[in-house]
């Protein structure tokens, strides 16, 4: 599995002592779409894994024990890091787009700058839910289409925009998650978009 | 600060780590940078020792979690204790003076600049 990346002990690379502000960007998408690959290609450290857990009280009472039934949700995710300058460090999270993950969104990713929805055109339906949830959370995002070599009928970005019912305001970009410069372009596309949004807001307030 | 119930997996191990607690507030963001204010001392809980050692240099909460192999919630509890005892300080996202006063556009310009230099 490409995501089993932090099993070997590796020498940690600490941040500089002047580091004072952490920022977040989240990459979401279906299974195997290339999230970890994208994080790895731009990160200054090997991607690390961690997890969060949460218990919800279930419905009803377990009769054999007489206590309320609970369900435990565990969500694993990986992340990489980019030191932007001496003071600012950007963390890039690769997160699964499935339902239970969104349950933890606020606890993990509130205050995130924005998101990248990574799309595999052979399984476009995997992205619908993520797009819906990001809109719900009012998290600005861009769509990056990870092109796989064995895609027999590559769709144009316009076709993909239609299939995903994306508004014209959502930037789209082609990428190859394995290539650092391509991953960097995706990040810049997102931050350019955020910048344009912030600029128009400053203009109106 | 809201406290939310959390089940932290393997009960025996995590009971020891957190002293039986399973709730944490969200005062520490995933990217809050933690810095040790003292050296570990003999007899300290091993997780505290490891955190104080790691955080000789600023270290994000999420990196502590990955390094210790403990869920985010558990690390939030541990950091809450260390912080209350004055053993670590926390650099919260965008709290630093140099950033707090920046308009969003200026902040994003710095981010863009950093990314272009990659
Ligand atoms: N051809 C091609 N293969 C890719 C590309 N990106 C990723 N892959 C491959 O696709 C597989 C899955 O990539 P991962 O990065 O592990 O995907 P993921 O989204 O993290 O997967 P999960 O975490 O398991 O959901 C790996 O074998 C990658 O090498 C790409 O742009 N082109
Ligand atoms: Mg992965």
């Amino acid at each position: 599995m490409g995501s089993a990346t932090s099993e070997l002990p590796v020498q940690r690379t600490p941040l500089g002592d002047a580091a004072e502000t952490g920022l977040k960007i989240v990459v979401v998408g279906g299974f195997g779409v290339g999230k970890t690959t994208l994080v790895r290609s731009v990160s200054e450290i090997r991607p690390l894994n961690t997890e969060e857990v949460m218990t919800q009280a279930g419905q009803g009472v377990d009769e054999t024990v007489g206590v309320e039934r609970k369900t435990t949700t565990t969500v694993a995710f990986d992340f990489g890091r980019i030191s932007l300058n001496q003071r600012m460090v950007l963390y890039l999270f690769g997160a699964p787009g499935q339902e239970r993950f969104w349950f933890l969104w606020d606890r993990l990713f509130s205050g995130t700058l924005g998101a990248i929805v990574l799309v595999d055109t052979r399984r476009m339906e995997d992205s619908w839910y993520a797009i819906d949830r990001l809109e719900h959370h009012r998290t600005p995002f861009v769509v990056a289409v990870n092109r796989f070599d064995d895609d027999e009928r590559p769709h144009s970005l316009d076709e993909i925009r239609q299939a995903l019912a994306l508004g014209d305001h959502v930037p789209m970009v082609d990428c190859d998650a394995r290539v650092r410069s391509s991953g960097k372009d995706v990040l810049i596309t997102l931050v350019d978009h955020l910048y344009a949004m912030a600029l128009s807001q400053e203009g109106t307030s | 600060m809201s406290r939310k119930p959390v089940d932290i997996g393997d009960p025996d191990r995590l009971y020891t780590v957190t002293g039986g607690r399973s709730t944490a507030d969200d005062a520490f963001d995933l990217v809050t940078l933690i810095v040790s204010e003292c050296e570990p001392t003999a007899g300290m809980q091993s997780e505290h020792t490891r955190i104080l050692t790691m955080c000789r240099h600023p270290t994000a909460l999420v990196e502590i979690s990955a390094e210790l192999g403990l869920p985010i919630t558990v690390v939030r509890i541990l950091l809450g204790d260390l912080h209350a005892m004055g053993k670590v300080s926390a650099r919260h996202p965008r709290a630093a003076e140099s950033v707090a006063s920046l308009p969003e556009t200026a902040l994003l310009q710095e981010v863009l600049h950093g990314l272009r230099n990659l």
Side-chain angles (χ1 to χ4, degrees):
Chain A
M1 280 300 290
S3 55
T5 43
S6 61
E7 278 162 18
L8 296 170
V10 279
Q11 192 64 43
R12 291 188 56 248
T13 319
L15 293 172
D17 289 327
E20 58 183 14
T21 288
L23 301 167
K24 296 181 277 194
I25 286 178
V26 187
V27 184
V28 288
F31 289 113
V33 70
K35 302 179 293 293
T36 303
T37 306
L38 176 63
V39 169
R40 184 187 297 117
S41 72
V42 293
S43 176
E44 69 196 21
I45 55 169
R46 250 175 82 177
L48 297 166
N49 297 316
T50 191
E51 62 178 36
E52 177 57 316
V53 287
M54 179 172 225
T55 294
Q56 289 172 275
Q59 292 98 9
V61 168
D62 188 328
E63 279 144 37
T64 55
V65 217
V67 295
E68 204 179 351
R69 226 182 257 120
K70 290 179 179 175
T71 46
T72 302
T73 305
T74 302
V75 173
F77 56 93
D78 48 21
F79 63 93
R81 185 179 91 192
I82 298 168
S83 295
L84 295 166
N85 55 43
Q86 300 248 329
R87 296 177 292 108
M88 290 162 65
V89 53
L90 175 64
Y91 283 85
L92 193 59
F93 295 91
Q98 82 262 34
E99 209 169 329
R100 63 206 171 107
F101 158 73
W102 295 99
F103 194 64
L104 287 167
W105 176 270
D106 282 331
R107 288 197 21 201
L108 298 175
F109 299 122
S110 64
T112 202
L113 289 176
I116 294 160
V117 178
L118 201 55
V119 174
D120 177 348
T121 54
R122 298 165 303 178
R123 287 170 299 166
M124 242 165 336
E125 60 284 359
D126 286 3
S127 326
W128 291 340
Y129 194 66
I131 290 170
D132 179 70
R133 290 290 87 194
L134 289 172
E135 283 171 347
H136 170 84
H137 286 279
R138 298 179 182 282
T139 304
F141 65 93
V142 298
V143 169
V145 180
N146 199 18
R147 298 287 186 183
F148 286 82
D149 312 323
D150 51 343
D151 189 351
E152 299 193 337
R153 194 180 104 55
H155 300 264
S156 71
L157 289 183
D158 274 346
E159 287 173 314
I160 298 164
R161 184 183 294 282
Q162 285 207 337
L164 295 177
L166 285 180
D168 287 337
H169 62 282
V170 180
M172 295 185 71
V173 59
D174 274 310
C175 81
D176 184 331
R178 299 163 300 180
V179 179
R180 181 178 169 84
S181 61
S182 179
K184 180 178 149 178
D185 283 345
V186 174
L187 286 172
I188 290 175
T189 303
L190 173 63
V191 181
D192 266 335
H193 177 55
L194 300 173
Y195 179 74
M197 287 173 64
L199 203 59
S200 71
Q201 236 156 36
E202 271 173 26
T204 57
S205 62
Chain B
M1 206 59 59
S2 66
R3 288 183 164 272
K4 292 164 195 156
V6 167
D7 186 328
I8 44 189
D10 177 1
D12 288 346
R13 173 161 161 259
L14 295 170
Y15 187 89
T16 328
V17 171
T18 64
R21 288 159 302 157
S22 60
T23 60
D25 63 43
D26 295 346
F28 299 99
D29 192 276
L30 292 195
V31 299
T32 292
L33 302 174
I34 306 298
V35 186
S36 305
E37 294 297 330
C38 64
E39 287 297 309
T41 52
M44 222 177 223
Q45 181 180 347
S46 68
E47 290 78 18
H48 286 182
T49 302
R50 291 183 67 190
I51 292 172
L52 291 180
T53 307
M54 278 184 84
C55 297
R56 284 178 184 141
H57 300 286
T59 307
L61 182 155
V62 71
E63 284 196 64
I64 299 172
S65 165
E67 178 81 5
L68 264 50
L70 291 170
I72 299 294
T73 290
V74 175
V75 174
R76 281 181 170 150
I77 292 172
L78 292 167
L79 289 176
D81 291 346
L82 286 167
H83 193 252
M85 294 185 287
K87 295 187 188 304
V88 298
S89 56
R91 300 179 183 173
H92 296 290
R94 306 209 207 181
E97 230 170 278
S98 60
V99 182
S101 58
L102 279 187
E104 189 76 4
T105 45
L107 175 87
L108 291 168
Q109 257 174 335
E110 281 207 52
V111 176
L112 269 177
H113 188 76
L115 289 174
R116 292 212 164 96
N117 286 340
L118 271 190

